[in-house]
């Protein structure tokens, strides 16, 4: 769907109203996943594998079943055995069978924390005690915990019955679930003609989305085989689809009510506990609520893939890129899908590259099945590309912004997968970076003794998905509008969607009241993810608001008994074009409209929103003795299309930067050789605190997207892409050290400094 | 099988100004007591091991992670949670500032931040940015990057003067 951005002075868009759901959230009234309490509710708990890779020989649940206060026990035998049908919902794909096996292991456990059984008991304590009494006999197998181990010739195989797709060839007994290749031009020619060729390989540890709210799942399975689910999710319809597959029930038998969601970043797209609570409810006919612990969240949900990415770039003597090659190996975790197509799309996305070749491998390892994490796979590939670009600039003495501008991707540039870019704003971001106070400021090159400062810059991209969204509007008798939508609100999207309807209607944002409703109460709406919500659901709201105006005009025509053509609507007032006496406010027309209340609904299924680009500048101060790195100045520049609610756009840019800074400097799954995560708590998985970060400056560039009437692009994902390479480049600037592993933690810095001496 | 029968205990405590007797198992945390027994769920569980601050409450003027305090320790104490911040007349200046400054995205950490920040402003009406960052370092937020939270606390400190 393509339209020309509306060019006018907005009344609502670009303002900063208080978000509609804000009052509930600052008073503690908002109900998140764990806050639900239903009459007669039981508490569920699950038994998890202590091993990263093992065959399940037998499970004995008899002792648990005999316990006082235990109402039901289940294993995978209580789930239907599914075939290997490929499924696909927005950012996630894979097979139905794998979806089910990830909920509860059938024959094999593939990661530490893999669920093997569930119980429902009168309270949490009893449920935990019962879990301890479940005896599982395992045959422990050798795990593979990184891409090198998994791709080795004699590697232990996770899925003996799975056929990998290697460039179209079906391959058995492999941990490489897929190998894809994208080629354009002749890279051999390009590299041969090149004046300079630089190649680097980066190695990244697994990271976690780190949302504060652990996963939950509450369910009632009633006597009519209807399943009601309450959960914290990025997509109530995605939960409905997934649960319907795992339980082999028609989607219409399942109703998902989304609770408020305490963070997700992609990690709350998959299902985990919902089908387990449902089966336990079927066995007891009582509501069952199951909640993860923080350790469960680390061990068995998310994470974002680690892996290795090699990038080679060749330039001519004028500093123009001639050829680029990438070899991308990402950890899918226990089940396939490490977002390698996204990786291929993103790896050279910021540049005009005449010839390129990309090999990407989706590799299964004995870690939790990876979930999307904010611009999935883009930060990983950007680390490699932006490091190589920085190295080129260092060697040739190019200004890093000028080099990027010289090779900048813009409208018409061919992308890795073929299509050409529509209007994008990378060039404008780079120019803004060059013009920023931060870039123009002098780096304090003589800080306190023993410390070194450095500055780094990097670019990043996310393509921003479209897909399906639905919105209903209803004009209330007081002239205000009720809006219902299916997009769960993870960070202010109720406001950004309501504001688009309000803009069309010409009424204040506060006069459109948005509600996120259950799957029986709204049309299909894809996940809150891929940076699609303000774009796609906002577009549906825009369309629904226009339809509401048509209704208002139609009903006014009936009321006044004149033709529709003689009526116009603007800013909450409907009037006759010819008779100044004929005039009604929304309240007046809504009071008793002829032929029934004024309602409208609209749905969309959109293409990509036109990519979003970000450029970040990082100043670091590094203690050479301890290796501790402080971020002393940070600026995030981003093409946001059109900022509907600028405060929440800035919030996305700052939050993405903060996550990326954590990824660069601290965060990792620290694994034992046996595949056990040794730092599965917030104490040891060290996410940035308020003390670790400076203020994050934001510069919003508005290059409207061609695909949306207000020019909206997704804004949530690009800001996590540049931080890792920007920080790597700043470390190199400060110390002359090219660190190629994440996290770039103190020990890595001190070790590298020792090696350098 | 004979289970260890643990006798429940009665705890007399004051929560958000309301004195009450509650009957709890002696091993449950204050967090579980508030959420499951008293039935106020504004105090959130993010980690249950004292590292995220989502469960921060004020106990006799001191902020604590309620997951690390036993319910029985509430005996004779004054507990303030996020539910006690607003009055029937309106929001606390911090709550208002959090809304105006867009200092929350998903909002799950917000109750803990508000309770922590209130304890700071109760004692230090005009804290510096550095002081605010230091004080709030026990509260994790994964959405905002803290910028707008720090700004909201600063704004509330100026406005409550």
């Amino acid at each position: 769907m393509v339209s020309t951005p509306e060019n006018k002075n907005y009344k609502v868009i670009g303002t900063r109203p208080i978000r509609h759901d804000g009052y509930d959230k600052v008073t503690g009234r908002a109900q998140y996943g764990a806050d639900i309490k239903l009459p007669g509710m039981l508490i569920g708990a699950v038994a998890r594998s202590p091993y990263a890779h093992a065959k399940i020989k037998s499970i004995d649940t008899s002792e648990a079943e005999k316990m006082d206060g235990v109402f039901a026990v289940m294993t995978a035998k209580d789930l239907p055995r599914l075939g290997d049908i490929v499924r696909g919902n927005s950012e996630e794909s894979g097979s139905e069978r794998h979806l089910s096996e990830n909920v509860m292991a059938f024959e094999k456990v593939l990661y530490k924390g893999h669920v093997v059984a569930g119980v429902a008991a009168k309270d949490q304590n009893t449920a935990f005690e019962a879990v301890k009494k479940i005896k599982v006999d395992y045959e422990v197998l050798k795990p593979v915990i990184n891409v090198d181990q998994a791709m080795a010739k004699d590697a232990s195989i996770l899925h003996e019955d799975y056929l990998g797709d290697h460039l179209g060839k079906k391959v058995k007994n492999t941990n490489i679930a897929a190998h894809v290749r994208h080629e354009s031009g002749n890279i051999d020619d390009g590299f041969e003609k090149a004046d300079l060729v630089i190649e680097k390989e980066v190695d990244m540890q697994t990271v976690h989305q780190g949302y504060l709210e652990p996963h939950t799942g509450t369910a009632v399975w009633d006597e009519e085989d209807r399943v009601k689910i309450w959960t914290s999710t990025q997509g109530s319809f995605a939960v409905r689809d997934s649960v319907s597959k795992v339980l082999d029930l028609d989607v219409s038998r399942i109703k998902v009510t989304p609770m408020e969601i305490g963070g997700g970043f992609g990690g709350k797209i998959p299902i985990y506990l919902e089908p387990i609570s449902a089966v336990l409810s079927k066995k007891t006919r009582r509501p069952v609520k199951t909640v993860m612990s923080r350790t469960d969240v680390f061990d068995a949900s998310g994470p974002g893939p680690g892996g290795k990415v090699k990038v080679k770039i060749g330039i001519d003597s004028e500093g123009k890129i001639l050829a680029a090659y990438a070899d991308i190996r990402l950890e899918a975790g226990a089940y396939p899908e490490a977002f390698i197509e996204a990786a291929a799309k993103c790896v050279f996305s910021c540049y005009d590259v005449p010839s390129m070749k990309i090999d990407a491998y989706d590799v299964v390892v004995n870690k939790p099945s990876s979930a999307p994490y904010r611009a999935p796979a883009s930060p990983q590939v950007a680390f490699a590309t932006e490091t190589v670009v920085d190295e080129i600039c260092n060697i040739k003495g190019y200004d890093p912004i000028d080099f990027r501008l010289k090779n900048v991707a813009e409208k018409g540039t061919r992308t890795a997968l073929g299509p050409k870019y529509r209007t994008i704003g990378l060039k404008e971001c780079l120019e803004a970076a060059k013009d920023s106070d931060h870039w123009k400021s002098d780096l304090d090159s003589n800080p306190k003794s023993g410390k070194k400062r450095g500055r780094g810059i990097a670019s990043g991209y996310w393509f921003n998905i479209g897909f399906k969204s639905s919105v209903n509007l209803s004009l209330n008798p007081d002239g205000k509008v009720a809006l219902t939508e299916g997009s769960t609100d993870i960070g202010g999207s109720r406001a950004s969607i309501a504001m688009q309807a309000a803009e069309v209607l010409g009424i204040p944002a506060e006069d459109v009241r948005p509600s996120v409703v259950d799957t029986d109460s709204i049309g299909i709406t894809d996940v809150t993810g891929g940076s699609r919500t303000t774009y796609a659901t906002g577009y549906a709201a825009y369309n629904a608001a226009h339809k509401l105006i048509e209704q208002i005009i139609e009903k006014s025509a009936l009321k006044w008994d004149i033709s529709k053509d003689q009526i116009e609507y603007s800013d909450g007032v409907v009037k006759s074009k010819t008779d100044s006496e004929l005039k009604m406010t929304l309240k007046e027309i809504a009071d008793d409209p002829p032929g029934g209340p004024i309602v409208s609904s609209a749905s969309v299924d959109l293409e990509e929103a036109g990519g979003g680009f970000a450029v970040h500048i990082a100043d670091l101060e590094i203690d050479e003795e301890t290796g501790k790195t402080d971020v002393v100045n940070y600026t995030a520049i981003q093409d946001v299309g059109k900022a509907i609610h600028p405060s929440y756009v800035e919030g996305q840019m700052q939050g993405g930067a903060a996550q990326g800074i954590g990824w660069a400097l601290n965060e990792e799954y620290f694994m034992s050789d046996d595949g056990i995560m040794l730092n599965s708590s917030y104490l040891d998985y060290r996410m940035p605190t308020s003390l670790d970060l400076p203020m994050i400056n934001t510069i919003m560039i508005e290059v409207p997207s061609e695909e949306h009437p207000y020019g909206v692009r997704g804004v949530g994902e690009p800001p996590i892409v540049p931080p890792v390479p920007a920080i790597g480049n700043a470390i190199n600037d400060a110390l002359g050290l090219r660190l190629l592993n994440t996290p770039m933690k103190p020990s890595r810095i001190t070790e590298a400094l020792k090696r350098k001496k | 099988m004979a289970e260890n029968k643990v006798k429940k205990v009665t705890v007399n405590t004051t929560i958000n100004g309301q004195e009450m007797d509650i009957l709890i198992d002696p091993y449950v945390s204050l967090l579980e007591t508030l959420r499951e027994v008293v039935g106020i769920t504004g105090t959130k569980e993010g980690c249950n091991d004292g590292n995220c601050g989502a469960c921060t409450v004020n106990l006799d003027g001191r902020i604590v992670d309620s997951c690390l305090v036993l319910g029985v320790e509430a005996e004779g104490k004054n507990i303030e949670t996020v539910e006690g911040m607003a009055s029937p007349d309106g929001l606390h200046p911090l709550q208002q500032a959090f809304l105006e400054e867009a200092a929350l995205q998903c909002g799950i950490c917000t109750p803990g931040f508000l309770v922590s920040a209130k304890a700071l402003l109760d004692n230090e009406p005009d804290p510096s940015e550095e002081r605010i960052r230091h004080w709030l370092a026990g509260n994790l937020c994964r959405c905002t990057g803290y910028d707008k939270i720090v700004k909201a606390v600063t704004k509330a400190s100026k406005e409550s003067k």
Side-chain angles (χ1 to χ4, degrees):
Chain A
M1 200 180 245
V2 175
S3 62
T4 315
E6 287 181 9
N7 192 6
K8 64 170 188 177
N9 294 323
Y10 296 121
K11 289 202 172 80
V12 179
I13 286 172
T15 64
R16 303 177 186 232
I18 286 176
R19 61 195 279 178
H20 303 75
D21 53 321
Y23 294 91
D24 282 348
K25 285 178 177 163
V26 297
T27 52
R29 277 195 298 266
Q31 295 233 299
Y32 293 77
D35 298 336
I36 190 167
K37 203 163 193 179
L38 297 168
M41 189 170 80
L42 300 173
I43 300 299
V46 295
R48 295 179 182 274
S49 167
Y51 305 110
H53 196 190
K55 276 193 179 126
I56 299 171
K57 287 159 75 178
S58 65
I59 302 179
D60 178 1
T61 58
S62 55
E63 289 298 314
E65 282 166 41
K66 276 187 259 173
M67 267 181 70
D68 267 358
V70 170
F71 286 75
V73 181
M74 73 167 291
T75 66
K77 289 195 178 112
D78 295 299
L79 293 173
R81 196 74 175 115
L82 302 174
D84 220 5
I85 307 159
V86 173
R87 71 198 156 91
N89 59 34
S90 301
E91 282 202 6
E92 233 206 336
S93 59
S95 86
E96 291 185 10
R97 179 170 169 184
H98 288 160
L99 176 72
S100 167
E101 286 177 357
N102 193 38
V103 167
M104 199 171 273
F106 284 73
E107 289 99 10
K108 262 180 110 177
V109 291
L110 296 175
Y111 53 94
K112 192 247 169 182
H114 204 156
V115 175
V116 292
V119 302
K122 67 178 168 99
D123 58 30
Q124 196 174 54
N125 207 46
T126 311
F128 287 163
E129 290 303 315
V131 161
K132 286 188 206 157
K133 296 202 164 140
I134 293 171
K135 295 188 198 96
V136 186
D137 189 10
Y138 293 102
E139 179 191 332
V140 180
L141 304 169
K142 195 174 157 43
V144 290
I145 58 167
N146 57 43
V147 291
D148 287 345
Q149 287 179 11
M151 292 170 82
K153 271 216 165 66
D154 55 350
S156 183
I157 299 295
L158 272 76
H159 302 279
E160 289 90 351
D161 53 352
Y162 185 76
L163 286 175
D165 183 332
H166 298 183
L167 300 175
K169 219 169 68 194
K170 299 289 172 202
V171 179
K172 244 196 129 151
N173 272 319
T174 175
N175 289 324
I176 303 169
H179 169 202
V180 300
R181 178 174 291 162
H182 295 285
E183 269 181 292
S184 67
N186 186 333
I187 60 163
D188 294 336
D189 263 11
F191 283 124
E192 203 167 301
K193 284 186 196 137
D195 179 56
L196 175 71
V197 177
I198 296 291
E199 180 182 306
K200 296 278 175 201
E201 184 176 60
V202 298
D203 186 357
M204 290 154 292
Q205 297 305 313
T206 309
V207 289
H208 199 275
Q209 292 81 351
Y211 35 80
L212 266 284
E213 181 200 28
H215 295 270
T216 66
T218 303
V220 173
W221 190 317
D222 74 12
E223 293 73 7
E224 203 193 351
D225 283 338
R226 292 191 184 275
V227 178
K228 293 172 210 122
I229 288 171
W230 294 261
T231 191
S232 161
T233 176
Q234 287 177 249
S236 46
F237 286 91
V239 170
R240 189 178 78 166
D241 285 353
S242 298
V243 170
S244 94
K245 282 163 188 159
V246 171
L247 299 179
D248 199 17
L249 286 172
D250 292 339
V251 286
S252 294
R253 292 203 169 274
I254 298 163
K255 174 173 146 182
V256 178
T257 304
M259 306 297 290
E260 293 298 341
I261 167 174
F265 316 105
K268 289 213 181 114
I269 294 173
I271 55 160
Y272 297 102
L273 302 171
E274 294 87 347
I276 297 171
S277 290
V279 170
L280 291 168
S281 174
K282 187 183 185 185
K283 285 173 177 267
T284 58
R285 293 291 185 225
R286 288 170 67 164
V288 177
K289 173 166 82 176
T290 313
V291 178
M292 281 194 197
S293 71
R294 178 53 50 185
T295 296
D296 295 342
V297 171
F298 279 118
D299 277 347
S301 79
K308 285 187 165 180
V309 181
K310 192 191 293 176
V311 158
K312 182 162 103 170
I313 293 176
I315 59 161
D316 68 14
S317 55
E318 303 293 308
K320 276 289 290 174
I321 295 175
L322 293 177
Y325 174 71
D327 178 293
I328 300 161
R329 300 166 182 215
L330 293 179
E331 295 170 359
Y335 298 97
E337 185 53 289
F339 324 106
I340 56 170
E341 288 289 347
K345 242 169 146 162
C346 295
V347 62
F348 300 125
S349 53
C350 295
Y351 303 95
D352 177 16
V353 183
S355 68
M356 68 172 97
K357 181 173 170 186
I358 300 161
D359 279 305
Y361 301 85
D362 187 347
V363 185
V364 290
V365 297
N366 292 108
K367 287 181 181 170
S369 187
S370 69
Y373 178 19
R374 203 168 198 157
S378 191
Q380 289 92 329
V381 294
F383 184 27
T385 301
E386 295 298 293
T387 299
V388 168
V389 165
D390 197 61
E391 192 71 6
I392 289 171
C393 294
N394 282 356
I395 289 173
K396 301 294 280 186
Y398 296 143
D399 176 277
I401 294 181
D402 289 343
F403 178 80
R404 285 176 171 85
L405 279 169
K406 186 163 200 160
N407 291 284
V408 74
E410 51 195 339
K411 184 172 183 172
T413 302
R414 185 194 184 278
T415 62
L417 271 56
K420 290 180 176 167
Y421 283 122
R422 296 173 64 81
T423 302
I424 53 172
L426 174 58
K427 189 162 171 261
E428 289 79 356
C429 288
L430 287 163
E431 283 163 353
K434 199 169 179 176
D435 197 39
S436 67
D437 292 343
H438 187 165
W439 191 251
K440 288 193 284 196
S441 71
D442 287 331
L443 188 69
D444 180 2
S445 54
N446 199 14
K448 277 169 266 164
S449 64
K451 300 201 174 176
K452 285 273 169 66
R453 288 201 175 195
R455 177 173 293 170
I457 187 166
S459 311
Y461 165 75
W462 180 250
F463 44 88
N464 295 330
I465 61 173
F467 298 122
K468 300 180 188 73
S469 281
S470 310
V471 163
N472 293 338
L473 297 178
S474 165
L475 184 63
N476 286 331
D478 58 2
K480 315 257 162 99
V481 175
L483 180 156
T484 52
E485 49 155 323
S487 287
T488 55
D489 184 352
I490 205 160
S493 58
R494 281 185 187 88
S496 67
I497 290 157
M499 286 170 75
Q500 293 180 62
E503 183 69 48
V504 173
L505 294 167
I507 59 178
E510 294 77 14
D511 287 358
V512 178
R513 196 75 216 159
S515 299
V516 178
V517 295
D518 65 72
T519 52
D520 280 359
S521 307
I522 187 75
I524 288 169
T525 298
D526 281 311
V527 296
T528 298
S531 296
R532 62 175 297 280
T533 308
T534 298
Y535 164 61
T537 310
Y539 208 142
Y542 172 91
N543 285 343
H546 276 293
K547 286 186 178 176
L548 198 75
I549 292 173
E550 283 171 31
Q551 282 280 300
I552 291 164
I553 290 174
E554 224 165 82
K555 306 254 175 187
S556 303
L558 284 173
K559 201 158 185 163
W560 289 329
D561 197 20
I562 59 174
S563 142
K564 281 193 295 182
D565 309 338
Q566 287 177 273
I567 296 175
E568 63 183 8
Y569 173 90
S570 70
D571 297 343
V573 178
V574 61
K575 56 188 173 197
S576 160
K577 290 176 189 168
T578 49
D579 181 351
S580 62
E581 294 287 295
L582 294 179
K583 200 168 164 184
M584 281 185 290
T585 62
L586 280 180
K587 187 175 175 199
E588 285 161 341
I589 179 66
D591 185 35
D592 188 20
I598 297 173
V599 296
S600 72
S601 64
S603 65
V604 297
D605 187 0
L606 303 181
E607 289 172 16
E608 288 179 12
F613 289 85
V615 176
H616 288 195
I617 309 165
D619 287 2
L620 306 180
E621 183 173 285
I622 306 169
D623 186 317
E624 288 187 286
E625 196 183 340
T626 64
K628 183 172 187 296
T629 299
D630 289 318
V631 182
V632 292
N633 195 5
Y634 200 97
T635 301
I637 302 129
Q638 189 173 326
D639 169 24
V640 301
K642 178 71 202 170
I644 301 294
H645 191 308
S647 296
Y648 286 97
V649 174
E650 291 160 1
Q652 289 295 322
M653 293 165 69
Q654 291 162 337
Q659 278 187 315
I661 291 167
W663 192 335
L665 292 174
N666 295 315
E667 297 180 27
E668 66 177 314
Y669 271 48
F670 194 89
M671 307 293 288
S672 76
D673 292 343
D674 298 332
I676 311 298
M677 184 188 184
L678 299 174
N679 58 334
S680 56
S681 78
Y682 275 146
L683 180 64
D684 298 316
Y685 185 91
R686 186 74 170 70
M687 306 196 316
T689 71
S690 53
L691 202 51
D692 297 320
L693 296 169
M695 288 294 182
I696 292 161
N697 311 307
T698 55
I699 300 174
M700 290 183 282
I701 305 297
E702 294 188 325
V703 177
S705 151
E706 291 176 47
E707 286 78 16
H708 186 280
Y710 297 134
V712 169
R713 294 178 198 277
V715 296
E717 286 170 296
I720 202 177
V721 183
V724 175
I727 283 172
N729 294 343
I731 290 172
N732 185 63
D733 185 48
L735 305 176
L737 287 176
R738 194 53 86 179
L739 295 189
L740 299 172
N741 300 62
T742 61
M744 294 170 257
K745 54 189 174 182
S747 59
R748 280 222 167 87
I749 290 175
T750 51
E751 279 159 25
L753 278 170
K754 260 182 231 151
R755 276 200 306 273
K756 193 184 156 201
K757 274 178 188 161
Chain B
M1 189 166 51
E3 296 298 320
N4 300 334
K5 266 284 173 203
V6 186
K7 231 179 134 192
K8 285 185 192 275
V9 279
T10 305
V11 174
N12 176 269
T13 186
T14 302
I15 299 173
N16 297 325
Q18 191 189 343
E19 191 186 339
M20 58 181 81
D21 289 318
I22 46 178
L23 191 63
I24 56 172
D25 288 316
Y27 53 78
V28 299
S29 66
L30 177 57
L31 172 62
E32 202 178 330
T33 303
L34 292 169
R35 291 178 56 84
E36 306 298 331
V37 183
V38 182
I40 49 175
T41 57
T43 306
K44 303 300 181 190
E45 178 183 320
C47 68
N48 211 26
D49 56 14
N51 284 298
C52 76
C55 68
T56 306
V57 301
N58 193 310
L59 188 121
D60 272 359
R62 194 164 59 100
I63 49 166
V64 295
D65 288 324
S66 61
C67 70
L68 297 185
V69 176
L70 286 172
V72 292
E73 293 178 78
E75 175 69 37
K77 300 264 171 44
N78 257 306
I79 293 160
E80 286 172 26
T81 72
V82 69
E83 286 93 346
M85 278 182 75
S87 73
D89 299 332
L91 296 177
H92 185 277
L94 274 164
Q95 293 171 311
Q96 188 64 31
F98 267 57
L99 290 180
E100 288 169 3
E101 291 296 304
L104 58 147
Q105 283 178 32
C106 81
I108 193 103
C109 70
T110 308
F113 271 97
L114 287 167
V115 171
S116 289
K118 180 173 181 291
L120 173 64
L121 297 191
D122 284 349
N123 294 307
E124 300 174 40
D126 193 15
S128 66
E129 182 196 329
E130 180 66 17
R131 179 64 180 147
I132 293 168
R133 287 188 180 276
H134 197 270
W135 184 268
L136 296 178
N139 292 80
L140 287 176
C141 169
R142 190 60 157 172
C143 296
T144 64
Y146 305 103
D147 235 77
K148 294 185 185 301
I149 293 174
V150 173
K151 283 179 183 148
V153 175
T154 306
K155 181 175 187 174
S157 75
K158 305 261 182 274
E159 280 174 9
S160 46
K161 267 193 209 164

